Amino acid sequence: MPQNDKMNLTEIYDKKFEEWWKEGWDWDNLSPEQKEYWIAEKDHLIAFAGKQWTRFHLPLRDIDGNASPKNRGFKDPELRWSDSKHQKLLDDISARLTESRRSLRDTARLSGIVVSESLEISEAVIERSVLLESARFEKAINFYGVSFQESVNLRDSSFYELADMRGCAFLGSLTLSRSL
């Protein structure tokens, strides 16, 4: 790929981040429905860039480029997320996607989340609708052979590395508009 194309991609990703930031995925800007879905996170909000964030929505940087504790490049080792903290987040995202529809949360409402590590879910049946609008996948995501039984909405989502969905079945609608 020519260097100019790489620079253009960086500019495009930066613009997508600015759009994500303006959408307001911090706690105060989540809709009442989103706050209800994330209520278990309310007592564990993370202060960053003058805002309060769930660990799921905490960005890797602020609009000025300052790293958050979720960013592996964060300078303070006491506050920088450990490997186990990153893994716990991935496990919890996977659980929210794959838990049974009979749970209280019939739809996986993961819009606006920031996935900072590679996420892999394979050979699973996801029985619920999945909202991943404006999600930011900073590393590869792999959904090998996953069967999505209901609608999947990835509108405006950003994929910075591989998004591998080989062998997936989408039995409901799939929305990818404005995704990158």
Side-chain angles (χ1 to χ4, degrees):
M1 175 180 289
Q3 187 65 25
N4 287 347
D5 290 346
K6 226 177 208 178
M7 290 177 70
N8 290 337
L9 278 177
T10 300
E11 290 170 9
I12 291 168
Y13 285 129
D14 287 346
K15 186 175 183 325
K16 285 292 273 185
F17 177 74
E18 288 173 16
E19 290 172 8
W20 179 90
W21 187 269
K22 288 177 186 173
E23 288 174 4
W25 294 102
D26 58 288
W27 184 259
D28 288 341
N29 286 304
L30 294 179
S31 71
E33 189 175 55
Q34 290 166 324
K35 285 182 179 177
E36 182 180 336
Y37 183 80
W38 296 107
I39 195 67
E41 298 293 314
K42 187 177 184 205
D43 292 336
H44 308 286
L45 297 176
I46 300 162
F48 175 66
K51 301 177 182 201
Q52 298 289 317
W53 306 87
T54 73
R55 63 195 169 104
F56 293 90
H57 296 93
L58 180 66
L60 297 184
R61 63 181 174 93
D62 67 14
I63 199 69
D64 297 321
N66 300 306
S68 79
K70 193 178 195 177
N71 188 318
R72 292 212 180 256
F74 190 71
K75 289 184 172 46
D76 186 342
E78 296 293 318
L79 298 176
R80 183 176 47 233
W81 280 26
S82 64
D83 289 344
S84 62
K85 196 165 192 172
H86 281 285
Q87 187 59 51
K88 172 77 170 126
L89 180 69
L90 293 174
D91 292 346
D92 290 348
I93 291 168
S94 295
R96 284 180 182 262
L97 284 169
T98 59
E99 67 188 354
S100 169
R101 277 186 66 173
R102 291 180 295 277
S103 72
L104 294 175
R105 297 177 296 233
D106 200 36
T107 298
R109 298 183 184 283
L110 304 175
S111 295
I113 66 170
V114 177
V115 183
S116 57
E117 301 294 316
S118 294
L119 174 64
E120 183 174 329
I121 299 174
S122 58
E123 303 300 325
V125 175
I126 297 179
E127 299 177 344
R128 60 190 333 143
S129 292
V130 177
L131 291 176
L132 277 164
E133 296 170 303
S134 297
R136 298 182 56 80
F137 298 94
E138 305 287 340
K139 299 285 184 184
I141 64 161
N142 303 300
F143 292 134
Y144 304 119
V146 173
S147 177
F148 293 93
Q149 304 290 302
E150 299 288 337
S151 64
V152 177
N153 188 339
L154 290 159
R155 185 182 200 291
D156 284 322
S157 291
S158 299
F159 303 89
Y160 294 89
E161 291 187 9
L162 176 72
D164 191 344
M165 297 187 183
R166 284 179 285 170
C168 285
F170 295 93
L171 303 178
S173 62
L174 171 63
T175 304
L176 289 167
S177 59
R178 292 180 30 96
S179 290
L180 175 65

